[in-house]
Amino acid sequence: MLPEEVMEEEDAMQVEDVMDGEVSDDDVEEERFAPNNKELMGLSFTAKYEKQLEELNKAKTEKERVLDELRKVVTTREQELNKIVQDISSTLHTIEEQTQKEQAMWKEAGNKFKRFLPKGTRIVFQFISHTYIVVRSILLAGGQNTYFTKMFSGRLPIEKEGDNRYLFNREGCAFKYVLRFLQNLPIFVEDMTPAERLQLVDDANHFEMPGLLKLIDEVFARVQVGTKLFLVNKSDAIRNLGKGARLTKMLQDEATVYPIEFEGDYRNFEKYVLKRIQFGRIECINGESLSEAERASVFKEEVIYGMGLMSMPALFDVHNSILLGENNNIVSKVAGGNGAWDCNSLSTRPLPFGGRFKFRVTYLTRVTGHIMVGIAPATFNKEGATMHSQSGWYYYFSNGNLYSGPPTAYNNQAHFGHALNVREWVDIVVDRAEKSISVIANGETKEAPAYSNVFQDEDDLRICIMIHNHNEMVEVGDVVIL
């Protein structure tokens, strides 16, 4: 067969294939690149092409829409940033203008000052009882924006007598220290008299000198109690008040802002707190001489200062016991079960809410030695039995060991380990700051407290006596501040 005949035969076969519904290679190639869409099935090549072109145009339109949106966002952000830059530039320009105006003002004030007070001019400061002659250079030592530059530039109205004499209706005993401070000379606050120190504080405030106030506070802290200001020697206060006092804690705290302010009665602070700071002498308010309202006020101040201020007798109420003695401080069991823990006597007054204090219990009459003495909260159930295992913290006369309610829950916890006899005594020492109770038996002590971390600062604590047998008798002494 000739080549031409072969080609004609192949063309005829292809035509037959199309006639029979078979797909040519070109059709396969065309289908391979067509979208996978059922709507395109059965369409002619031209229809398919037009459909694809339509889809591409839609995609192009969507792309342009998205690009337009992005352009709008970018333009908006650019405008916002430009606005911020403009605002910042405007603010900086305003600040610069204000700074230039202030500099010009200060320069003019300085020129006036110099014209009014040429170099070396002597100025007289006349106080009520002191007169000082000062040269200009000393007054300018503190800088431009001081009380004195404002005074001489006319911004502060000061009474004058002549050109260079200024009158101050105030004491001038400490003004010499103000001048020393302006000259960066040493100032020994501890060597001043109390009147000079107080006047120096007043001068530092009046003449607007915070640096001088800070220098004073380093040695003598300003303490404002009610309407009166006190200057407290910091080292003496820390040593004599003890670490539990609130003032001690504040003086040791670098973040404390002065003056320290208390809401108490400044007369009590002056008589009982300040004297303890100055002399280390413990002088207490006689609580027995006060009314109930006055005692309540003192108790409030003990909380404020974190220390005891009042000494007073330990008075008891009656429950299955008899109270003897004019001070109602002798406890003896005469009723209830003879041989039962049902005699509970609680002091009628709260113990101090701050500091360290003690009270002494003396054994007057011994039968079996079954007596518990200690501290209980005011909520203690006086009607209960065997309360030494339910509430409070106690020392047992019979064997010198410890009993308490939860959470310590001591049950015959070893302590001194020996009985107390007639005329012997026990001191119960309470430290509010450490939240501890210690026991001293006839002078015998232990290094560690009997109880630690057993109450809170605000707890109302009372002396508690429990007696097991009839005719046992103890005497409770006054509450003494330590």
Side-chain angles (χ1 to χ4, degrees):
M1 185 178 295
L2 295 174
E4 293 82 358
E5 295 177 346
V6 173
M7 292 179 64
E8 290 177 358
E9 183 177 355
E10 289 176 352
D11 290 341
M13 291 176 63
Q14 288 180 0
V15 171
E16 291 177 358
D17 290 340
V18 172
M19 295 282 295
D20 293 338
E22 295 182 7
V23 181
S24 69
D25 291 341
D26 291 339
D27 289 338
V28 171
E29 187 71 15
E30 200 173 318
E31 287 292 335
R32 183 151 48 99
F33 288 99
N36 186 17
N37 192 327
K38 292 182 179 180
E39 295 180 0
L40 300 180
M41 300 300 295
L43 298 178
S44 66
F45 175 79
T46 300
K48 292 178 181 179
Y49 174 78
E50 290 176 350
K51 187 69 175 177
Q52 287 180 327
L53 185 60
E54 181 183 353
E55 293 294 331
L56 288 173
N57 288 333
K58 288 182 179 179
K60 183 178 179 182
T61 302
E62 179 64 18
K63 176 182 176 182
E64 290 297 329
R65 187 190 66 78
V66 172
L67 288 174
D68 286 341
E69 292 294 329
L70 289 175
R71 290 189 193 97
K72 290 179 182 179
V73 171
V74 170
T75 301
T76 301
R77 295 293 181 266
E78 185 177 5
Q79 291 173 349
E80 291 175 350
L81 288 174
N82 289 335
K83 181 66 168 57
I84 292 173
V85 171
Q86 290 175 0
D87 291 343
I88 293 174
S89 299
S90 176
T91 302
L92 290 175
H93 181 69
T94 302
I95 293 173
E96 185 178 359
E97 287 182 343
Q98 291 175 347
T99 302
Q100 290 175 352
K101 289 180 180 179
E102 289 181 1
Q103 288 175 344
M105 181 187 68
W106 283 115
K107 185 176 180 180
E108 178 62 22
N111 291 334
K112 288 182 181 179
F113 192 21
K114 289 177 181 178
R115 289 194 299 270
F116 179 73
L117 296 172
K119 186 175 182 180
T121 299
R122 294 182 180 273
I123 305 158
V124 178
F125 278 22
Q126 179 67 58
F127 293 88
I128 293 175
S129 57
H130 292 74
T131 301
Y132 296 88
I133 300 175
V134 189
V135 296
R136 177 176 68 89
S137 59
I138 294 178
L139 297 173
L140 290 175
Q144 291 184 330
N145 193 24
T146 66
Y147 176 93
F148 301 108
T149 52
K150 288 187 286 186
M151 180 183 76
F152 290 120
S153 63
R155 287 179 291 156
L156 287 177
I158 303 296
E159 186 179 356
K160 296 174 58 179
E161 187 178 89
D163 289 338
N164 295 340
R165 180 180 291 270
Y166 290 81
L167 307 180
F168 294 88
N169 187 24
R170 52 188 295 109
E171 286 296 331
C173 63
F175 189 71
K176 57 186 176 182
Y177 301 113
V178 172
L179 297 178
R180 290 185 67 85
F181 181 79
L182 289 173
Q183 299 175 85
N184 291 320
L185 296 175
I187 299 175
F188 302 101
V189 183
E190 57 271 28
D191 293 338
M192 301 177 192
T193 66
E196 285 180 328
R197 283 193 288 266
L198 284 171
Q199 186 60 49
L200 184 58
V201 169
D202 190 56
D203 285 352
N205 282 311
H206 180 80
F207 295 117
E208 303 174 7
M209 304 175 74
L212 181 54
L213 286 173
K214 183 177 180 180
L215 184 147
I216 298 169
D217 285 330
E218 290 176 357
V219 184
F220 279 81
R222 288 171 291 151
V223 179
Q224 185 79 39
V225 183
T227 58
K228 189 168 183 178
L229 179 70
F230 296 90
L231 294 181
V232 173
N233 186 298
K234 295 175 75 171
S235 59
D236 288 347
I238 292 171
R239 180 178 63 252
N240 294 331
L241 292 184
K243 63 181 180 179
R246 185 181 172 200
L247 182 56
T248 300
K249 295 177 181 178
M250 297 180 76
L251 293 177
Q252 292 177 320
D253 187 352
E254 295 182 357
T256 295
V257 177
Y258 296 96
I260 298 171
E261 297 183 354
F262 290 117
E263 297 178 355
D265 187 332
Y266 73 84
R267 292 166 295 185
N268 286 339
F269 183 89
E270 188 171 35
K271 186 174 182 180
Y272 301 108
V273 181
L274 194 60
K275 282 187 176 180
R276 196 177 303 185
I277 292 172
Q278 294 172 336
F279 309 112
R281 183 173 68 245
I282 298 175
E283 188 172 335
C284 299
I285 302 170
N286 180 8
E288 185 65 16
S289 64
L290 303 180
S291 66
E292 287 298 328
E294 290 171 329
R295 280 194 289 270
S297 176
V298 174
F299 280 133
K300 180 181 178 181
E301 290 190 53
E302 289 182 333
V303 176
I304 291 174
Y305 301 131
M307 56 185 291
L309 301 176
M310 181 168 55
S311 179
M312 57 190 301
L315 304 183
F316 290 85
D317 59 3
V318 178
H319 175 67
N320 288 341
S321 61
I322 184 171
L323 306 178
L324 307 176
E326 59 180 354
N327 290 328
N328 283 0
N329 64 335
I330 296 178
V331 182
S332 178
K333 183 175 182 179
V334 295
N338 186 18
W341 289 109
D342 60 354
C343 173
N344 308 313
S345 290
L346 203 66
S347 61
T348 58
R349 296 167 179 166
L351 291 169
F353 283 89
R356 293 178 68 248
F357 53 88
K358 71 175 182 178
F359 59 90
R360 175 167 293 185
V361 181
T362 304
Y363 209 166
L364 298 183
T365 302
R366 189 180 195 280
V367 179
T368 62
H370 298 323
I371 297 177
M372 301 272 187
V373 300
I375 305 293
T379 55
F380 177 90
N381 179 15
K382 293 180 291 185
E383 307 298 325
T386 62
M387 291 301 296
H388 55 269
S389 63
Q390 300 178 54
S391 179
W393 310 273
Y394 307 98
Y395 179 79
Y396 189 25
F397 277 19
S398 180
N399 61 11
N401 290 337
L402 307 175
Y403 286 78
S404 67
T408 51
Y410 285 168
N411 182 16
N412 203 30
Q413 175 76 20
H415 199 61
F416 289 127
H418 54 76
L420 207 66
N421 295 312
V422 174
R423 307 309 305 176
E424 294 183 336
W425 51 268
V426 166
D427 281 346
I428 305 297
V429 182
V430 180
D431 190 325
R432 277 286 195 172
E434 299 294 334
K435 301 177 175 59
S436 67
I437 302 171
S438 300
V439 180
I440 303 173
N442 286 315
E444 183 180 359
T445 64
K446 284 187 174 292
E447 183 175 351
Y451 300 95
S452 298
N453 296 315
V454 289
F455 49 78
Q456 301 302 316
D457 292 339
E458 66 277 7
D459 286 351
D460 182 344
L461 302 178
R462 309 294 177 98
I463 300 172
C464 185
I465 309 293
M466 299 183 192
I467 301 179
H468 188 262
N469 294 93
H470 289 178
N471 300 320
E472 297 272 12
M473 185 181 297
V474 295
E475 179 182 21
V476 183
D478 289 358
V479 178
V480 178
I481 307 300
L482 300 176

